Amino acid sequence: MEVLMEFDTTTSTTTMEKRHRHHLEKVQWLRCSVQNYDWGQKGRDSRVAKLFALNSGSQIDPERPFAEFWMGTHESGPSFLVRNEETTNGHLSFEPESESLKSWISNNPNVLGEKVVQKWGADLPFLFKVLSVAKALSIQAHPDKELAKTLHKLLPSIYKDDNHKPEMALAITQFEALCGFISLQELKSVVLNVPEIVELVGSSEANQVLEISDQDGEEKVKSVLRSTFTKLMSASQEMIVEVTSKMKNRLHLESQVRQLTEKERLVLELEKQYPADIGVISAFFFNYVKLNPGEALYLGANEPHAYLFGECIECMATSDNVVRAGLTPKHRDVNTLCSMLTYKQGFPEILQGVPLNPYVRRYLPPFDEFEVDSCNLPQQESTVFPAIPGPSILLVTLGEGIMHNTSCPRGDVIIEGDVLFVPANTEISITSASGLQLYRAGVNSRFFQAS
């Protein structure tokens, strides 16, 4: 087992003296959950592991993957209120009998603000996460509300809630993903240049793709794409094994006489991670997206995607519903996935964030449930998070600072790994003691403007 001190979680005496929890009556410190999915980055390489260790005082197993750090009320990874105690390293202790954030909110719904309760009831409408991705996640989509209700009713052990799950990934490092279907022109080029796809879907299906044009109308194009993609995803395992092997050998041979495309190199990498998996070949159908740090990608319901590599902040509606069909050892539901997708084509919109002031950028996806602010505060600089009509969760990912609000003018120290629940109508100001980086998730501000 790795000891926590590997992560240099020491805190100065002055910090220790200031870290009292009774000052900020309104703001709640949280102890949050971790998910050890096998695609996560291992031990000390993982930002998720580091934040979880700092947040909970846990020890880190260097051989274990740490995939997702969850902050919110979803029962698959709940957060708990931290009582007014500390451990010797300045981080908060956690008593097992601590109340969950979900239970505390349901007993104090006023912390959400009136409009949020009216729309979503006495629960947080968003789930906030950090992801550390070492290898590809499954090719997947998230159901809309109607489909989520049906799936939850039919298969509650797999689809664990009845909510939709629009989401947004904000890159911390360079972050790679497959997302949405490529354009019709690109699809034609794939059918012409990847003979293995023709072998899997059949030549009459392939010819339909080559013969159709944008003039035939959006619905006809979608219908051909749906039919081709469904045929590909429904191929027999025997065919997939044979054709994937053929493709791998062909690309290795061709790489000796020409430079492989980015997508071809990616497909070979995916094949190493998930041999003989239909997800490897289906990657040719999707846009290959590379985000730089500070860029964000959002995904609506019924849009296919797979995160591939890197670390990101993620926010979504409070749900864990995933319909998978490739690049996974988990349950696959190919029929549901192929029938639910929108089959919208073209490169996704990349959000750069809107500057609110010199230190804070806001990422506003087209969903009511959430928005994310990114804050980089140089030493000795201050910023204010104004009182808003809904709740927020703050995550400190780097550095140390002092947080003030009206109930605590003296301030309270916040440090890396701290997660705070800020109730509706609570203004807080933060001053950086060293380079401070934090992220805030809250209900989308457009929701309050519209209502």
Side-chain angles (χ1 to χ4, degrees):
M1 291 288 276
E2 170 102 279
V3 293
L4 180 61
M5 295 307 289
E6 286 286 336
F7 286 126
D8 187 21
T9 60
T10 52
T11 309
S12 67
T13 314
T14 53
T15 302
M16 286 289 295
E17 286 163 358
K18 290 176 189 161
R19 284 175 72 76
H20 299 305
R21 293 299 167 223
H22 53 274
H23 296 316
L24 291 169
E25 289 134 27
K26 292 183 167 184
V27 175
Q28 299 291 334
W29 266 251
L30 301 178
R31 187 267 194 182
C32 302
S33 297
V34 75
Q35 307 288 2
N36 302 96
Y37 307 136
D38 69 344
W39 48 260
Q41 296 185 7
K42 283 193 178 169
R44 73 163 67 87
D45 292 335
S46 165
R47 192 173 310 242
V48 164
K50 183 178 183 183
L51 289 169
F52 177 65
L54 291 165
N55 177 261
S56 64
S58 306
Q59 293 187 323
I60 295 297
D61 179 348
E63 291 309 307
R64 205 162 178 215
F66 287 81
E68 298 189 350
F69 184 55
W70 284 28
M71 299 160 280
T73 56
H74 197 283
E75 55 213 26
S76 300
S79 297
F80 295 87
L81 270 55
V82 173
R83 295 307 169 207
N84 189 17
E85 299 294 327
E86 298 183 48
T87 59
T88 50
N89 67 2
H91 270 263
L92 304 167
S93 71
F94 167 64
E95 294 108 43
E97 66 276 10
S98 284
E99 189 174 9
S100 74
L101 178 61
K102 188 180 177 83
S103 143
W104 180 74
I105 287 173
S106 74
N107 293 329
N108 302 278
N110 58 310
V111 299
L112 298 176
E114 197 182 332
K115 286 177 177 169
V116 171
V117 175
Q118 276 170 5
K119 167 98 182 195
W120 291 287
D123 195 9
L124 265 190
F126 59 84
L127 175 59
F128 199 23
K129 296 181 181 180
V130 182
L131 269 58
S132 293
V133 180
K135 66 175 192 174
L137 280 67
S138 52
I139 288 173
Q140 58 185 259
H142 306 301
D144 58 30
K145 275 195 168 162
E146 204 176 316
L147 179 60
K149 282 180 178 147
T150 309
L151 293 173
H152 178 58
K153 211 173 201 171
L154 291 173
L155 294 163
S157 61
I158 295 163
Y159 303 108
K160 295 194 168 141
D161 55 71
D162 61 1
N163 200 9
H164 68 160
K165 191 189 171 190
E167 66 185 28
M168 178 173 71
L170 167 54
I172 299 175
T173 62
Q174 189 173 57
F175 193 76
E176 298 184 9
L178 293 171
C179 171
F181 287 102
I182 54 178
S183 69
L184 183 57
Q185 281 317 108
E186 290 171 289
L187 184 62
K188 289 183 179 202
S189 167
V190 161
V191 169
L192 289 169
N193 293 304
V194 187
E196 296 80 13
I197 286 178
V198 181
E199 199 171 334
L200 285 170
V201 302
S203 53
S204 70
E205 199 74 51
N207 286 333
Q208 274 195 48
V209 172
L210 296 174
E211 286 159 16
I212 198 162
S213 82
D214 289 325
Q215 275 71 52
D216 292 314
E218 196 182 340
E219 285 314 306
K220 182 80 173 97
V221 174
K222 280 183 179 181
S223 158
V224 169
L225 175 56
R226 180 188 291 115
S227 153
T228 308
F229 184 70
T230 304
K231 197 138 194 198
L232 178 79
M233 296 306 285
S234 311
S236 71
Q237 190 51 38
E238 196 181 351
M239 277 285 282
I240 294 165
V241 171
E242 184 188 328
V243 170
T244 313
S245 168
K246 259 190 206 173
M247 183 188 66
K248 188 169 75 166
N249 294 337
R250 174 178 68 81
L251 289 177
H252 281 312
L253 276 172
E254 290 186 19
S255 71
Q256 291 163 24
V257 293
R258 68 172 175 91
Q259 191 167 4
L260 296 183
T261 66
E262 264 194 335
K263 183 67 79 66
E264 287 170 333
R265 292 198 298 274
L266 170 66
V267 163
L268 288 175
E269 181 56 37
L270 293 176
E271 195 279 331
K272 279 184 206 158
Q273 295 176 8
Y274 299 94
D277 186 307
I278 191 58
V280 172
I281 291 183
S282 75
F284 280 111
F285 279 64
F286 304 122
N287 298 297
Y288 184 15
V289 180
K290 291 182 171 181
L291 299 178
N292 293 314
E295 293 182 327
L297 175 70
Y298 64 82
L299 299 149
N302 305 323
E303 294 298 339
H305 60 282
Y307 295 154
L308 301 174
F309 184 77
E311 293 185 299
C312 74
I313 294 289
E314 191 181 40
C315 201
M316 61 197 56
T318 302
S319 170
D320 196 28
N321 279 325
V322 180
V323 182
R324 298 180 179 85
L327 304 183
T328 181
K330 292 182 181 175
H331 174 80
R332 295 170 186 232
D333 194 343
V334 172
N335 291 343
T336 300
L337 185 94
C338 291
S339 63
M340 74 192 264
L341 297 178
T342 63
Y343 293 98
K344 201 163 70 191
Q345 288 175 285
F347 204 77
E349 183 187 359
I350 306 299
L351 298 180
Q352 306 290 342
V354 178
L356 300 186
N357 62 44
Y359 312 119
V360 180
R361 292 184 87 78
R362 174 161 293 169
Y363 298 81
L364 279 166
F367 316 120
D368 283 352
E369 284 88 348
F370 61 89
E371 66 186 17
V372 173
D373 291 346
S374 159
C375 173
N376 283 294
L377 208 52
Q379 195 163 352
Q380 302 310 322
E381 295 295 340
S382 298
T383 195
V384 172
F385 287 91
I388 50 174
S392 298
I393 289 181
L394 293 184
L395 162 69
V396 184
T397 51
L398 200 66
E400 181 179 313
I402 297 180
M403 181 170 70
H404 308 260
N405 74 0
T406 45
S407 67
C408 177
R410 273 180 52 204
D412 218 332
V413 170
I414 52 170
I415 55 179
E416 184 180 355
D418 280 350
V419 180
L420 311 145
F421 176 87
V422 181
N425 308 307
T426 307
E427 178 181 289
I428 56 170
S429 63
I430 294 173
T431 302
S432 171
S434 60
L436 186 69
Q437 184 181 56
L438 57 90
Y439 293 89
R440 181 195 74 88
V443 173
N444 197 307
S445 41
R446 289 185 191 134
F447 166 71
F448 299 115
Q449 290 154 12
S451 54

